[in-house]
Amino acid sequence: MNNITKEEAIKGCFMASIAGDALCLSTHYEYDANKIYEIYGKDNITKFMSPGELTGGQTHGIGWGSQNYHPGKSAGGTTDYGDYNILILEHLSSTAKEQKMFKVEDLLPHWMNRLENSWGSWICTMTKETYAQVKRGVDVQYLGGHSNAMAIRHVAAHAYFEEEETLVEVARKTMFTHRDEHALGGGEFFARVTHRVINGAHPKKAILDVAALMGGFFEDKVNQAYNKYQEANDPSSSLFKEQYCDDLALTSMAKLWDVGRSEPIKVGKASPTEGTLPGAIYFILKYCDEKEGLKDALIANAMVGGDNASRSIAIGMVLGAFKGINAIPSEWKNKIQQWTYCDDLLNTLPLLKVYV
């Protein structure tokens, strides 16, 4: 068991998710792992870069072409996944003195203001749809669309609420732009796992226990990821010998998604929960027991590409909780644009304020 304090676990949970997200900024939505490897000098991504700095922002397979999905962002900045988590952190900090239960209606004015004035990242389809719904006066309980993309946004809540069921409720509410049960369940899954890791559980045990608790789709996906992790770590397997082992592991865990373009996209690397959830679990299981497992997992995830930013939040929060904030490389801490800003806000939240 790692010898870290609860404070280090909670801070590690949030800051590692932001670090992992920032590491993905340059390859977010690039689906060709070979291209990523070649353009980064046949080496791993180990430093923060601006959107498409070397990739051109090009995606593979679905014809999006060269595009900058995060305008206004530069090296050390975050994608929309990181932005959403910082947004929720800001909101929770503003309510910390009252220690209020999270309510979507309380968040909406801040959310609308950020979208209209200072977002700077990709605005996903569900966010656009929900924004239009709010403008039309749709009641909070009916907000959101039916996307199955996993979008974890509640990471800061682990510094605010102590009860697992409360964290589950907050995880689901922060995904108010989504109504699909797989997407919402993905947020719940990682809320439960992270809470248990913060409170002393090993990631592997937490993942398997929560899978058994939730059952169905989620247990099936965890079993799929666990089997793939074992295969990738078996020196006698063909997967183990592959140069792009992690890339092939993820693409083999979900169907091909025919979107009517030149090629089918590999869902294992795309946004749907059926790919992002087992993909994130695969990286957590594969790297959690390594000495520099947090760093290595986040780098490996960035190198695979696709919707790596979505996976990075889940990987960062679980392994950050397990390894602690001091496991984040110092050279990363110094280059994350909002490191001090986020750290200061975290220190206002109830479970961390006692340490200040």
Side-chain angles (χ1 to χ4, degrees):
M1 186 62 202
N2 290 330
N3 184 27
I4 62 171
T5 66
K6 191 167 184 177
E7 175 198 17
E8 290 169 340
I10 293 172
K11 282 199 170 185
C13 165
F14 186 87
M15 301 305 280
S17 70
I18 296 301
D21 177 71
L23 199 65
C24 292
L25 186 64
S26 63
T27 58
H28 196 202
Y29 296 133
E30 168 55 61
Y31 280 82
D32 190 338
N34 178 67
K35 178 179 176 182
I36 293 172
Y37 179 72
E38 291 293 331
I39 63 178
Y40 283 100
K42 297 184 178 180
D43 200 357
N44 287 326
I45 300 169
T46 58
K47 66 177 183 177
F48 302 122
M49 283 177 272
S50 60
E53 184 171 326
L54 296 177
T55 62
Q58 191 174 66
T59 62
H60 174 71
I62 62 172
W64 287 344
S66 295
Q67 184 174 338
N68 181 353
Y69 290 96
H70 304 288
K73 291 303 181 81
S74 56
T78 47
T79 78
D80 50 312
Y81 293 101
D83 288 348
Y84 256 112
N85 276 286
I86 294 172
L87 175 84
I88 299 302
L89 170 60
E90 290 169 340
H91 174 70
L92 291 176
S93 178
S94 73
T95 68
K97 289 183 179 179
E98 302 161 279
Q99 293 197 31
K100 297 171 61 177
M101 182 55 192
F102 179 87
K103 293 182 179 180
V104 176
E105 50 266 44
D106 292 341
L107 172 71
L108 288 179
H110 182 46
W111 175 72
M112 296 285 282
N113 180 61
R114 284 288 300 275
L115 283 177
E116 292 169 353
N117 296 297
S118 59
W119 195 245
S121 294
W122 168 256
I123 300 178
C124 70
T125 303
M126 291 302 97
T127 295
K128 292 176 182 177
E129 183 173 328
T130 306
Y131 177 85
Q133 291 171 340
V134 174
K135 284 288 192 180
R136 294 198 306 270
V138 173
D139 190 88
V140 168
Q141 64 179 317
Y142 301 115
L143 292 177
H146 293 284
S147 169
N148 60 357
M150 193 175 77
I152 296 171
R153 300 164 178 166
H154 73 276
V155 185
H158 290 279
Y160 199 108
F161 303 104
E162 293 193 77
E163 300 301 321
E164 183 171 315
E165 296 308 318
T166 303
L167 285 161
V168 167
E169 181 180 346
V170 175
R172 286 175 165 267
K173 285 181 175 178
T174 57
M175 293 174 64
F176 62 95
T177 58
H178 292 60
R179 301 181 70 182
D180 179 86
E181 189 53 38
H182 286 172
L184 295 171
E188 173 180 342
F189 181 88
F190 285 106
R192 292 187 184 278
V193 169
T194 302
H195 173 71
R196 296 178 186 207
V197 172
I198 286 173
N199 287 283
H202 189 282
K204 289 181 182 178
K205 176 172 172 51
I207 286 169
L208 294 175
D209 287 351
V210 173
L213 173 69
M214 295 184 68
F217 168 87
F218 300 98
E219 188 168 25
D220 290 344
K221 283 296 170 182
V222 168
N223 289 337
Q224 186 182 32
Y226 198 91
N227 291 336
K228 192 60 61 174
Y229 140 73
Q230 290 185 313
E231 180 185 353
N233 275 10
D234 179 2
S236 67
S237 73
S238 58
L239 180 60
F240 179 88
K241 300 178 178 68
E242 289 285 348
Q243 179 180 2
Y244 303 108
C245 174
D246 292 337
D247 179 69
L248 292 173
L250 264 65
T251 56
S252 68
M253 287 194 288
K255 66 189 178 187
L256 294 179
W257 182 22
D258 186 359
V259 292
R261 304 295 178 89
S262 59
E263 301 174 47
I265 194 171
K266 297 169 180 175
V267 173
K269 295 168 64 170
S271 305
T273 306
E274 66 180 283
T276 51
L277 187 139
I281 292 169
Y282 166 85
F283 283 113
I284 293 167
L285 294 173
K286 184 174 182 182
Y287 292 97
C288 66
D289 289 324
E290 291 188 2
K291 183 178 180 181
E292 294 190 332
L294 171 63
K295 175 184 177 182
D296 292 344
L298 294 177
I299 289 173
N301 172 63
M303 291 296 294
V304 167
D307 196 358
N308 48 10
S310 176
R311 299 189 304 266
S312 74
I313 301 297
I315 297 166
M317 66 192 294
V318 175
L319 290 184
F322 185 52
K323 300 288 189 179
I325 192 167
N326 293 324
I328 302 172
S330 58
E331 62 269 24
W332 289 4
K333 296 177 185 179
N334 296 332
K335 296 294 177 60
I336 295 175
Q337 292 179 8
Q338 299 192 76
W339 179 277
T340 301
Y341 176 70
C342 291
D343 188 53
D344 288 344
L345 289 178
L346 282 170
N347 287 335
T348 69
L349 303 188
L351 301 187
L352 289 176
K353 195 171 183 179
V354 294
Y355 297 103
V356 178

